[in-house]
Amino acid sequence: MARNTFEAWIPEEDSSEVIMRVNQVSAVEALASPEPMKSNTKSIPRSAGVGVGVVDKGSAYGEDTSTNDDIVLTAKKLGKAIRIAEEDIDDSLADILSTKMKDWATSYAKLIDNATLAVTAAVGTGVPFESVYYTLSQTAAGLGYTANDNITLTGSGGVTYDKLSSTLGDLEGGDYFDPSSVVVIAHPSFRAKFRGVKDDQGLPIFVQGLAGTPDTLFTHPVRWSLGAKTSPTATDAPGGNPILVIVNRDYLRLGRRSGPESVFIDGRDGVSALTDESILKMRARRGFALGHPKAAAILVNDSGS
């Protein structure tokens, strides 16, 4: 017989272990500007700025000709279902459901970072958003940006002071640099590289935080993400080149339609009763866009080391 009940999705509370795990592991969930979404899509106006000029006494004011537009967030579903035998739930001393939900939170955190920061392809199968990497690899003539202008490759020389400085310089040289809002998101493999880099005075440019203070690079706070590796599609285990993203966090726009949330489908009735297997489903619905390509710069460690 078919099921005759409908389970409601249960959102995770702000203090839940799932939410805390997501915020600990995901740099984007923790740092991006949140955009509540009440529908599947949300349009965010994007200002092109306002010019200013000299107005001589008695002369007319010049009118600004900046062209405004918008960016659109489209919510995509990121989730997984786990089939669990009733015997395992009944017999195990461990809380299987809680453990699996925290495991999902860890994988989700890596996937959302990969999808928003490092996926190299356009939106399509397995690619929910235009990532920061993809955005910077495309020309946006209307925004005055040329493809790959803000992407730096280390080459065979690896991570050096000059490469790091040049990457930060790509952001510092534009209108979207705000020292109070700049953050660095990097794959943890950069930690070892940073420790060996010093400035002309022999002082380290990377400072490891103590007593709860963040790590810093060129005085900017650093968050580490295992999702910060290039990948052709979104994944929680990317295998491409490690990347470092320097970005004005105000321009990382993360749409939150729902979740993380879960639903438990009991295997004691309906078709599932034939196998004594229950299903735990977990999901989050998110949208993402980089507000402007000049608000970010990327260093790709393609040295192979």
XYZ file of all heavy atoms in Angstrom, residues 130-238:
808
model
N 26.805 30.397 -10.712
C 28.027 30.924 -11.307
C 28.978 31.232 -10.160
O 28.764 32.158 -9.383
C 27.753 32.189 -12.121
C 27.017 31.918 -13.421
C 26.968 33.126 -14.334
O 27.431 34.209 -13.908
O 26.465 33.001 -15.459
N 30.020 30.445 -10.023
C 30.959 30.604 -8.912
C 31.803 31.857 -9.090
O 31.826 32.481 -10.161
C 31.880 29.387 -8.828
O 32.810 29.394 -9.908
N 32.520 32.216 -8.044
C 33.448 33.340 -8.136
C 34.486 33.068 -9.225
O 34.791 33.939 -10.047
C 34.135 33.602 -6.780
C 35.200 34.690 -6.915
C 33.105 34.002 -5.726
N 35.017 31.854 -9.246
C 36.025 31.505 -10.261
C 35.452 31.673 -11.664
O 36.073 32.298 -12.538
C 36.513 30.071 -10.057
C 37.625 29.679 -11.006
C 38.951 29.706 -10.603
C 37.360 29.304 -12.329
C 39.980 29.363 -11.477
C 38.366 28.973 -13.206
C 39.679 28.998 -12.778
O 40.692 28.669 -13.656
N 34.270 31.108 -11.893
C 33.685 31.191 -13.231
C 33.405 32.644 -13.602
O 33.684 33.072 -14.733
C 32.392 30.379 -13.301
C 31.728 30.471 -14.662
C 32.199 29.728 -15.743
C 30.666 31.341 -14.882
C 31.626 29.832 -16.996
C 30.080 31.465 -16.129
C 30.565 30.705 -17.181
O 29.996 30.823 -18.431
N 32.868 33.415 -12.667
C 32.573 34.815 -12.938
C 33.817 35.575 -13.357
O 33.800 36.373 -14.309
C 31.941 35.480 -11.702
O 30.722 34.794 -11.365
C 31.635 36.946 -11.952
N 34.940 35.325 -12.662
C 36.177 36.033 -12.983
C 36.821 35.534 -14.276
O 37.707 36.196 -14.824
C 37.177 35.902 -11.831
C 36.759 36.492 -10.487
C 37.935 36.502 -9.515
C 36.194 37.890 -10.634
N 36.382 34.382 -14.760
C 36.947 33.842 -16.003
C 36.179 34.307 -17.239
O 36.540 33.955 -18.363
C 36.951 32.309 -15.963
O 35.624 31.793 -16.055
N 35.125 35.114 -17.017
C 34.289 35.573 -18.126
C 34.369 37.092 -18.281
O 34.490 37.827 -17.295
C 32.824 35.172 -17.891
C 32.609 33.700 -17.626
C 33.051 32.824 -18.779
O 32.601 33.010 -19.926
N 33.929 31.869 -18.509
N 34.279 37.556 -19.525
C 34.248 38.990 -19.782
C 32.871 39.564 -19.463
O 31.847 38.970 -19.826
C 34.594 39.287 -21.249
O 35.963 38.938 -21.484
C 34.390 40.753 -21.591
N 32.832 40.683 -18.765
C 31.597 41.415 -18.503
C 31.817 42.835 -19.003
O 32.198 43.737 -18.239
C 31.255 41.384 -17.020
N 31.591 43.028 -20.302
C 31.914 44.303 -20.933
C 31.157 45.459 -20.293
O 31.712 46.561 -20.120
C 31.596 44.227 -22.430
N 29.903 45.227 -19.930
C 29.108 46.288 -19.329
C 29.616 46.731 -17.979
O 29.306 47.832 -17.516
N 30.413 45.874 -17.335
C 30.975 46.192 -16.022
C 32.443 46.592 -16.115
O 33.099 46.805 -15.102
C 30.829 44.988 -15.088
C 29.398 44.492 -14.844
C 29.413 43.246 -13.963
C 28.538 45.586 -14.220
N 32.960 46.639 -17.336
C 34.359 47.029 -17.526
C 35.346 45.976 -17.079
O 36.485 46.308 -16.706
N 34.934 44.693 -17.159
C 35.825 43.612 -16.717
C 36.129 42.685 -17.882
O 35.222 42.276 -18.621
C 35.181 42.826 -15.573
C 36.042 41.670 -15.089
C 37.094 41.892 -14.215
C 35.823 40.375 -15.557
C 37.902 40.853 -13.808
C 36.624 39.322 -15.144
C 37.664 39.563 -14.272
O 38.473 38.522 -13.867
N 37.414 42.307 -18.006
C 37.863 41.389 -19.044
C 38.205 40.037 -18.432
O 38.781 39.961 -17.351
C 39.103 41.944 -19.768
O 38.783 43.225 -20.322
C 39.546 41.010 -20.887
N 37.835 38.978 -19.125
C 38.029 37.622 -18.628
C 39.436 37.392 -18.086
O 40.417 37.765 -18.718
C 37.735 36.611 -19.738
N 39.511 36.811 -16.889
C 40.744 36.383 -16.225
C 41.613 37.524 -15.710
O 42.725 37.278 -15.228
C 41.570 35.476 -17.147
C 40.821 34.222 -17.536
O 40.279 33.527 -16.682
N 40.772 33.929 -18.828
N 41.130 38.765 -15.792
C 41.918 39.881 -15.274
C 42.279 39.688 -13.800
O 43.376 40.066 -13.365
C 41.144 41.198 -15.429
C 41.419 41.871 -16.771
O 42.212 41.321 -17.559
O 40.814 42.931 -17.032
N 41.359 39.153 -13.028
C 41.574 39.016 -11.584
C 41.865 37.581 -11.170
O 41.635 37.208 -10.018
C 40.358 39.553 -10.818
C 40.319 41.064 -10.777
O 41.013 41.734 -11.537
N 39.509 41.614 -9.890
N 42.350 36.773 -12.094
C 42.793 35.417 -11.776
C 44.293 35.332 -12.016
O 44.776 35.628 -13.122
C 42.069 34.350 -12.619
C 40.571 34.343 -12.301
C 42.669 32.966 -12.356
C 39.775 33.336 -13.115
N 45.046 34.950 -10.993
C 46.503 34.807 -11.087
C 46.879 33.349 -10.888
O 46.368 32.694 -9.971
C 47.202 35.666 -10.017
O 46.860 37.041 -10.206
C 48.719 35.513 -10.088
N 47.759 32.841 -11.731
C 48.268 31.472 -11.592
C 49.660 31.524 -10.981
O 50.479 32.367 -11.349
C 48.324 30.780 -12.953
C 47.032 30.729 -13.771
C 47.281 30.038 -15.104
C 45.914 30.037 -13.016
N 49.939 30.599 -10.066
C 51.271 30.587 -9.455
C 52.324 30.113 -10.435
O 53.480 30.516 -10.352
C 51.305 29.677 -8.215
O 51.081 28.310 -8.631
C 50.274 30.083 -7.194
N 51.938 29.232 -11.364
C 52.925 28.622 -12.240
C 53.821 27.675 -11.454
O 53.575 27.375 -10.279
N 54.889 27.243 -12.083
C 55.775 26.260 -11.454
C 56.477 26.795 -10.222
O 56.947 26.038 -9.380
C 56.818 25.777 -12.468
O 57.589 26.872 -12.957
N 56.557 28.119 -10.084
C 57.237 28.717 -8.932
C 56.458 28.603 -7.638
O 57.008 28.856 -6.558
N 55.192 28.248 -7.720
C 54.392 28.070 -6.512
C 53.979 29.399 -5.879
O 54.038 30.462 -6.497
N 53.569 29.313 -4.624
C 53.053 30.476 -3.897
C 54.219 31.338 -3.423
O 55.045 30.899 -2.627
C 52.201 30.030 -2.697
C 51.670 31.252 -1.933
C 51.032 29.163 -3.163
N 54.294 32.569 -3.913
C 55.373 33.491 -3.549
C 54.783 34.805 -3.051
O 53.591 35.085 -3.227
C 56.281 33.790 -4.759
O 55.500 34.474 -5.763
C 56.855 32.508 -5.342
N 55.631 35.622 -2.459
C 55.211 36.936 -1.993
C 54.642 37.759 -3.154
O 53.584 38.398 -3.032
C 56.390 37.674 -1.360
C 56.047 39.059 -0.849
C 55.653 39.257 0.462
C 56.117 40.166 -1.700
C 55.334 40.531 0.927
C 55.791 41.432 -1.248
C 55.406 41.608 0.073
O 55.071 42.866 0.517
N 55.341 37.748 -4.285
C 54.909 38.559 -5.429
C 53.543 38.112 -5.943
O 52.712 38.949 -6.321
C 55.941 38.480 -6.554
C 57.211 39.255 -6.232
O 57.175 40.087 -5.300
O 58.238 39.025 -6.900
N 53.308 36.803 -5.994
C 52.018 36.306 -6.484
C 50.889 36.692 -5.530
O 49.803 37.105 -5.957
C 52.061 34.784 -6.642
C 52.992 34.292 -7.738
C 52.482 34.660 -9.127
C 53.353 34.048 -10.210
N 52.888 34.374 -11.576
N 51.128 36.565 -4.235
C 50.116 36.943 -3.252
C 49.852 38.443 -3.305
O 48.696 38.890 -3.262
C 50.567 36.532 -1.855
C 50.603 35.027 -1.576
C 51.369 34.743 -0.288
C 49.187 34.462 -1.474
N 50.924 39.224 -3.390
C 50.778 40.669 -3.435
C 50.044 41.105 -4.696
O 49.191 42.015 -4.669
C 52.158 41.336 -3.381
O 52.055 42.737 -3.450
N 50.347 40.462 -5.824
C 49.697 40.795 -7.085
C 48.199 40.482 -7.035
O 47.376 41.254 -7.546
C 50.344 40.016 -8.230
O 49.674 40.240 -9.455
N 47.848 39.364 -6.408
C 46.439 38.987 -6.292
C 45.678 40.012 -5.459
O 44.587 40.458 -5.840
C 46.305 37.590 -5.661
O 47.032 36.645 -6.451
C 44.849 37.159 -5.583
N 46.237 40.390 -4.321
C 45.599 41.416 -3.496
C 45.541 42.737 -4.256
O 44.546 43.474 -4.179
C 46.359 41.589 -2.189
C 45.833 42.675 -1.234
C 44.372 42.442 -0.875
C 46.690 42.731 0.031
N 46.569 43.029 -5.029
C 46.598 44.266 -5.801
C 45.475 44.356 -6.821
O 44.992 45.457 -7.127
N 45.055 43.203 -7.370
C 43.945 43.208 -8.320
C 42.682 43.769 -7.676
O 41.890 44.452 -8.330
C 43.662 41.786 -8.827
C 44.725 41.300 -9.791
O 45.412 42.137 -10.407
O 44.875 40.063 -9.921
N 42.483 43.455 -6.404
C 41.315 43.971 -5.695
C 41.547 45.396 -5.215
O 40.654 46.250 -5.312
C 40.986 43.060 -4.504
C 39.783 43.451 -3.639
C 38.512 43.506 -4.478
C 39.604 42.463 -2.492
N 42.757 45.673 -4.724
C 43.061 47.006 -4.186
C 42.971 48.092 -5.251
O 42.697 49.253 -4.934
C 44.463 47.012 -3.581
C 44.586 46.217 -2.290
C 46.022 46.145 -1.803
O 46.935 46.076 -2.654
O 46.225 46.154 -0.585
N 43.187 47.719 -6.500
C 43.219 48.716 -7.557
C 41.857 49.143 -8.071
O 41.772 49.979 -8.975
N 40.769 48.569 -7.527
C 39.430 48.891 -8.021
C 38.575 49.625 -7.011
O 38.986 49.878 -5.865
N 37.364 49.957 -7.435
C 36.437 50.706 -6.594
C 35.782 49.852 -5.516
O 35.040 50.389 -4.686
C 35.326 51.326 -7.458
C 35.853 52.407 -8.387
O 36.903 52.992 -8.072
O 35.214 52.658 -9.430
N 36.045 48.559 -5.518
C 35.329 47.663 -4.608
C 36.209 47.177 -3.458
O 35.865 46.240 -2.755
C 34.744 46.477 -5.395
C 33.779 46.974 -6.437
C 34.214 47.308 -7.724
C 32.441 47.187 -6.125
C 33.340 47.807 -8.669
C 31.553 47.684 -7.066
C 32.015 47.998 -8.338
O 31.132 48.501 -9.265
N 37.340 47.846 -3.286
C 38.230 47.517 -2.175
C 37.813 48.316 -0.946
O 37.766 49.537 -0.965
C 39.681 47.835 -2.533
C 40.638 47.604 -1.388
C 40.960 46.326 -0.985
C 41.211 48.678 -0.714
C 41.836 46.110 0.066
C 42.085 48.480 0.325
C 42.403 47.184 0.728
N 37.502 47.603 0.118
C 37.159 48.211 1.402
C 37.879 47.395 2.467
O 37.487 46.257 2.741
C 35.647 48.174 1.632
C 35.249 48.727 2.992
O 36.142 49.112 3.771
O 34.031 48.764 3.283
N 38.949 47.920 3.053
C 39.747 47.136 4.004
C 38.934 46.511 5.128
O 39.263 45.423 5.607
C 40.738 48.163 4.561
C 40.831 49.213 3.506
C 39.464 49.292 2.884
N 37.858 47.168 5.528
C 37.062 46.646 6.640
C 36.217 45.453 6.235
O 35.710 44.729 7.110
C 36.155 47.751 7.201
O 35.182 48.153 6.248
N 36.037 45.226 4.928
C 35.176 44.138 4.458
C 35.926 43.042 3.712
O 35.324 42.046 3.311
C 34.074 44.700 3.542
O 33.245 45.602 4.248
N 37.227 43.223 3.498
C 38.002 42.240 2.735
C 38.312 41.010 3.590
O 38.754 41.129 4.735
C 39.311 42.854 2.218
C 40.237 41.781 1.639
C 39.007 43.903 1.157
N 38.048 39.838 3.030
C 38.389 38.574 3.681
C 39.121 37.684 2.683
O 39.010 37.875 1.469
C 37.142 37.835 4.214
C 36.463 38.631 5.324
C 36.160 37.532 3.087
N 39.871 36.738 3.216
C 40.584 35.759 2.402
C 39.989 34.389 2.697
O 39.820 34.015 3.860
C 42.093 35.748 2.722
C 42.809 34.693 1.879
C 42.701 37.126 2.508
N 39.633 33.662 1.643
C 39.154 32.285 1.785
C 40.110 31.405 0.999
O 40.309 31.612 -0.210
C 37.727 32.119 1.249
C 36.759 33.071 1.968
C 37.267 30.675 1.422
C 35.363 33.076 1.380
N 40.731 30.451 1.669
C 41.772 29.664 1.014
C 41.682 28.190 1.407
O 41.195 27.850 2.494
C 43.158 30.202 1.377
N 42.166 27.350 0.518
C 42.285 25.923 0.844
C 43.359 25.757 1.913
O 44.377 26.469 1.900
C 42.653 25.126 -0.404
C 42.580 23.653 -0.202
N 43.664 22.913 0.231
C 41.545 22.780 -0.344
C 43.303 21.641 0.329
N 42.021 21.528 -0.013
N 43.166 24.837 2.865
C 44.138 24.682 3.956
C 45.565 24.375 3.503
O 46.512 24.616 4.262
C 43.566 23.530 4.783
C 42.103 23.567 4.519
C 41.974 23.998 3.084
N 45.740 23.872 2.283
C 47.094 23.587 1.798
C 47.932 24.849 1.678
O 49.162 24.785 1.623
C 47.034 22.864 0.443
O 46.420 23.683 -0.541
N 47.284 26.015 1.634
C 48.018 27.282 1.566
C 48.699 27.605 2.897
O 49.613 28.440 2.926
C 47.085 28.431 1.192
C 46.845 28.581 -0.283
C 45.814 27.902 -0.902
C 47.651 29.407 -1.057
C 45.571 28.039 -2.258
C 47.433 29.544 -2.410
C 46.388 28.854 -3.028
N 48.272 26.996 3.990
C 48.861 27.326 5.296
C 50.373 27.110 5.294
O 51.147 27.970 5.727
C 48.215 26.494 6.401
C 46.770 26.846 6.689
C 46.169 25.901 7.708
N 46.780 26.075 9.016
C 46.293 26.865 9.973
N 45.194 27.564 9.760
N 46.890 26.942 11.137
N 50.782 25.945 4.829
C 52.215 25.638 4.805
C 52.960 26.590 3.868
O 54.099 26.989 4.150
C 52.438 24.191 4.377
N 52.308 26.960 2.758
C 52.947 27.889 1.811
C 53.128 29.264 2.454
O 54.178 29.902 2.328
C 52.104 28.024 0.543
C 51.633 26.716 -0.056
C 52.765 25.831 -0.499
C 52.233 24.560 -1.149
N 53.303 23.604 -1.496
N 52.093 29.727 3.167
C 52.144 31.051 3.788
C 53.275 31.159 4.803
O 53.933 32.197 4.909
C 50.833 31.349 4.509
C 49.669 31.614 3.593
C 48.373 31.675 4.103
C 49.843 31.803 2.237
C 47.300 31.928 3.281
C 48.768 32.044 1.405
C 47.491 32.105 1.934
N 53.469 30.089 5.570
C 54.446 30.170 6.665
C 55.866 30.415 6.165
O 56.718 30.889 6.922
C 54.394 28.890 7.510
C 53.150 28.800 8.400
C 53.279 27.683 9.415
N 53.167 26.368 8.808
C 52.021 25.675 8.726
N 50.892 26.208 9.197
N 52.003 24.485 8.186
N 56.113 30.115 4.912
C 57.457 30.328 4.383
C 57.633 31.631 3.637
O 58.715 31.901 3.104
N 56.590 32.458 3.592
C 56.659 33.700 2.820
C 56.863 34.891 3.757
O 56.108 35.071 4.711
C 55.364 33.910 1.997
C 55.435 35.225 1.239
C 55.161 32.752 1.025
N 57.881 35.702 3.485
C 58.178 36.893 4.293
C 58.313 38.105 3.392
O 58.575 37.988 2.182
C 59.468 36.677 5.097
C 59.370 35.554 6.120
C 60.677 35.384 6.870
C 60.548 34.351 7.982
N 60.144 33.025 7.488
N 58.134 39.277 3.973
C 58.272 40.509 3.193
C 59.735 40.921 3.095
O 60.646 40.189 3.529
C 57.408 41.635 3.788
C 57.838 42.033 5.199
O 58.976 41.695 5.607
O 57.050 42.691 5.895
N 59.980 42.111 2.546
C 61.354 42.568 2.329
C 62.112 42.789 3.637
O 63.344 42.828 3.657
C 61.353 43.871 1.526
C 60.878 43.669 0.100
O 60.926 42.514 -0.364
O 60.460 44.660 -0.532
N 61.378 42.933 4.742
C 62.004 43.131 6.042
C 62.205 41.812 6.788
O 62.629 41.800 7.940
C 61.143 44.072 6.894
C 60.818 45.394 6.227
C 62.061 46.183 5.880
O 62.981 46.289 6.689
N 62.097 46.731 4.669
N 61.884 40.717 6.114
C 62.023 39.412 6.756
C 60.900 39.077 7.719
O 61.005 38.135 8.503
N 59.806 39.832 7.651
C 58.674 39.598 8.547
C 57.613 38.766 7.835
O 57.355 38.957 6.630
C 58.059 40.933 8.998
C 58.994 41.871 9.763
C 58.309 43.208 10.024
C 59.430 41.225 11.079
N 56.978 37.838 8.535
C 55.956 36.989 7.904
C 54.719 37.803 7.531
O 54.290 38.674 8.284
C 55.635 35.954 8.978
C 56.001 36.616 10.266
C 57.181 37.495 9.962
N 54.165 37.519 6.349
C 52.941 38.199 5.932
C 51.712 37.460 6.453
O 50.601 37.982 6.423
C 52.857 38.317 4.403
C 52.842 36.925 3.758
C 54.011 39.148 3.866
C 52.559 36.954 2.267
N 51.935 36.231 6.922
C 50.852 35.408 7.462
C 51.026 35.303 8.964
O 52.095 34.953 9.448
C 50.884 34.022 6.828
C 49.945 33.024 7.462
C 48.574 33.234 7.449
C 50.437 31.874 8.065
C 47.710 32.318 8.031
C 49.586 30.950 8.639
C 48.215 31.171 8.619
N 49.968 35.624 9.691
C 50.009 35.550 11.145
C 48.908 34.608 11.620
O 47.732 34.827 11.314
C 49.808 36.940 11.791
C 49.819 36.827 13.309
C 50.899 37.905 11.315
N 49.300 33.559 12.333
C 48.319 32.624 12.860
C 47.658 33.217 14.100
O 48.318 33.674 15.026
C 48.976 31.283 13.194
C 49.440 30.534 11.950
C 49.988 29.160 12.257
O 51.161 28.889 12.031
N 49.139 28.296 12.766
N 46.335 33.201 14.106
C 45.584 33.789 15.200
C 45.720 33.006 16.489
O 45.903 31.787 16.483
N 45.646 33.707 17.594
C 45.740 33.091 18.910
C 44.539 33.501 19.748
O 43.969 34.588 19.573
C 47.034 33.527 19.619
C 48.353 33.169 18.923
C 49.519 33.814 19.664
C 48.530 31.654 18.853
N 44.145 32.617 20.662
C 43.075 32.911 21.628
C 41.802 33.397 20.947
O 41.193 34.388 21.353
C 43.561 33.937 22.648
N 41.441 32.706 19.859
C 40.191 33.031 19.190
C 40.275 34.089 18.122
O 39.278 34.360 17.440
N 41.423 34.725 17.946
C 41.564 35.716 16.883
C 41.817 35.001 15.556
O 42.414 33.922 15.528
C 42.720 36.683 17.171
O 43.941 35.932 17.255
C 42.479 37.435 18.466
N 41.366 35.580 14.446
C 41.521 34.894 13.158
C 42.956 34.938 12.636
O 43.734 35.829 12.994
C 40.588 35.688 12.236
C 40.562 37.059 12.827
C 40.629 36.848 14.315
N 43.296 33.954 11.812
C 44.533 34.042 11.050
C 44.418 35.253 10.120
O 43.319 35.629 9.700
C 44.735 32.786 10.204
C 44.921 31.538 11.057
O 45.209 31.676 12.253
O 44.749 30.425 10.521
N 45.548 35.853 9.790
C 45.519 37.003 8.885
C 46.591 36.883 7.816
O 47.664 36.320 8.041
C 45.718 38.340 9.641
O 46.989 38.322 10.301
C 44.603 38.581 10.643
N 46.306 37.433 6.652
C 47.242 37.529 5.538
C 47.242 38.978 5.074
O 46.184 39.506 4.704
C 46.815 36.611 4.390
C 47.715 36.644 3.142
C 49.066 36.016 3.446
C 47.040 35.937 1.963
N 48.398 39.638 5.109
C 48.462 41.070 4.811
C 47.447 41.830 5.664
O 46.793 42.763 5.187
C 48.192 41.342 3.332
C 49.263 40.842 2.392
C 48.945 39.957 1.372
C 50.577 41.252 2.524
C 49.915 39.502 0.488
C 51.559 40.803 1.639
C 51.226 39.920 0.631
N 47.278 41.400 6.889
C 46.365 41.965 7.911
C 44.893 41.625 7.680
O 44.045 41.971 8.506
C 46.490 43.501 8.050
O 45.875 44.151 6.931
C 47.950 43.936 8.174
N 44.544 40.936 6.597
C 43.148 40.590 6.325
C 42.818 39.210 6.914
O 43.638 38.283 6.809
C 42.865 40.590 4.824
C 43.090 41.918 4.178
N 42.369 43.051 4.523
C 43.962 42.313 3.213
C 42.783 44.079 3.804
N 43.757 43.653 3.004
N 41.646 39.038 7.524
C 41.305 37.748 8.134
C 41.198 36.631 7.103
O 40.742 36.854 5.974
C 39.949 38.017 8.809
C 39.399 39.217 8.099
C 40.580 40.041 7.704
N 41.615 35.431 7.506
C 41.618 34.271 6.628
C 40.671 33.205 7.175
O 40.695 32.899 8.372
C 43.034 33.662 6.498
C 43.012 32.454 5.559
C 44.027 34.704 6.002
N 39.823 32.664 6.296
C 39.020 31.488 6.612
C 39.464 30.358 5.693
O 39.753 30.573 4.514
C 37.526 31.773 6.404
C 36.859 32.535 7.517
C 36.748 31.707 8.793
N 35.958 30.510 8.621
C 34.702 30.379 9.053
N 34.095 31.374 9.683
N 34.050 29.243 8.879
N 39.519 29.153 6.253
C 39.989 27.998 5.491
C 38.812 27.162 5.026
O 37.841 26.983 5.759
C 40.934 27.159 6.348
C 42.037 27.980 6.935
C 42.135 28.458 8.204
C 43.195 28.461 6.240
N 43.277 29.200 8.359
C 43.953 29.226 7.174
C 43.660 28.326 4.934
C 45.146 29.835 6.833
C 44.849 28.941 4.592
C 45.581 29.683 5.539
N 38.893 26.632 3.813
C 37.800 25.832 3.268
C 38.332 24.692 2.415
O 39.094 24.918 1.469
C 36.869 26.699 2.415
O 35.914 25.891 1.759
N 37.897 23.478 2.743
C 38.271 22.316 1.942
C 37.561 22.300 0.591
O 37.922 21.533 -0.292
C 37.953 21.037 2.707
C 38.841 20.757 3.924
C 38.254 19.627 4.777
C 40.256 20.407 3.483
N 36.559 23.162 0.438
C 35.873 23.260 -0.849
C 36.579 24.162 -1.835
O 36.170 24.244 -3.001
N 37.652 24.836 -1.401
C 38.348 25.801 -2.249
C 39.374 25.125 -3.154
O 40.577 25.414 -3.111
C 39.005 26.880 -1.386
N 38.898 24.214 -3.974
C 39.685 23.589 -5.033
C 38.844 23.598 -6.298
O 37.620 23.394 -6.238
C 40.050 22.140 -4.674
C 41.312 21.955 -3.878
C 41.667 20.468 -3.774
C 43.020 20.249 -3.123
N 43.387 18.798 -3.108
N 39.485 23.808 -7.429
C 38.739 23.854 -8.679
C 38.094 22.511 -8.974
O 38.611 21.453 -8.607
C 39.639 24.259 -9.856
O 40.746 23.346 -9.948
C 40.161 25.679 -9.664
N 36.952 22.579 -9.653
C 36.203 21.380 -10.005
C 35.272 21.711 -11.157
O 34.734 22.821 -11.215
C 35.397 20.888 -8.800
O 34.564 19.799 -9.147
N 35.042 20.766 -12.088
C 34.126 21.047 -13.204
C 32.663 21.078 -12.776
O 31.837 21.698 -13.447
C 34.399 19.904 -14.186
C 34.931 18.796 -13.330
C 35.717 19.465 -12.244
N 32.338 20.401 -11.691
C 30.983 20.420 -11.140
C 31.081 20.535 -9.626
O 32.135 20.294 -9.035
C 30.199 19.138 -11.489
O 30.921 17.996 -11.008
C 29.992 19.012 -12.995
N 29.970 20.894 -9.003
C 29.956 21.064 -7.556
C 30.111 19.726 -6.853
O 29.422 18.758 -7.174
C 28.654 21.734 -7.117
N 31.010 19.676 -5.869
C 31.281 18.438 -5.159
C 31.783 18.739 -3.758
O 32.343 19.814 -3.513
C 32.322 17.587 -5.921
O 32.664 16.436 -5.135
C 33.593 18.377 -6.184
N 31.595 17.775 -2.846
C 32.137 17.934 -1.498
C 33.538 17.361 -1.385
O 34.128 17.350 -0.306
C 31.214 17.291 -0.456
C 30.990 15.802 -0.694
O 31.669 15.222 -1.557
O 30.120 15.216 -0.025
N 34.091 16.887 -2.515
C 35.456 16.360 -2.525
C 36.174 16.777 -3.810
O 36.525 15.947 -4.643
C 35.444 14.835 -2.397
N 36.389 18.084 -4.001
C 37.028 18.555 -5.234
C 38.471 18.083 -5.335
O 39.172 17.971 -4.325
C 36.947 20.080 -5.117
C 36.869 20.343 -3.641
C 36.093 19.192 -3.075
